[in-house]
Every structure is written in structure tokens, then in C-alpha cells.
Amino acid sequence: MKVTKADCLKKSKLFLKMAKCDFALINLIKIIKCILTVALFVNTGAFALTLICGAKKSKL
């Protein structure tokens, strides 16, 4: 069975389409990771602020 140029082109186009989807998925994961990192820092700051305010109130 001989592989023709048309078959090779079809396979390469399919491969490029899959690579584009993978690239988009990787970018989406990076964006989600950044959002979750920011949320983690905000929650850490809020927790520290709550802890500091709670410590001040308990001393009074």
C-alpha cells in the first residue's frame, strides 16, 4: 500500500489542527493558573488581615 501526497497532506493538516487545539488548551490552563494564584494571594492577605485584627481585638 503506497502512501500518496494527498494522504500525507491530510495527516499533516490533522496534526496541525490538533497542535492548535493543544496550544489553546495550554494557554487556557496558564490563564486559570494565574487566576488561581491571584486568588490564593488575596485569600492569604485576607486571612492575615483577619488574624491581625482578631489579635488586636482580643488584646483589648
Side-chain angles (χ1 to χ4, degrees), residues 26-54:
I26 289 169
N27 284 337
L28 182 65
I29 290 171
K30 285 181 181 179
I31 290 169
I32 291 171
K33 181 182 170 186
C34 288
I35 291 170
L36 291 177
T37 302
V38 169
L40 178 67
F41 283 125
V42 168
N43 284 339
T44 303
F47 176 74
L49 187 64
T50 305
L51 192 64
I52 290 169
C53 291

Side-chain angles (χ1 to χ4, degrees), residues 11-28:
K11 288 181 182 181
S12 65
K13 286 181 181 180
L14 178 65
F15 177 77
L16 285 175
K17 194 178 288 186
M18 288 172 50
K20 286 180 183 178
C21 291
D22 289 343
F23 187 69
L25 186 63
I26 289 169
N27 284 337
L28 182 65

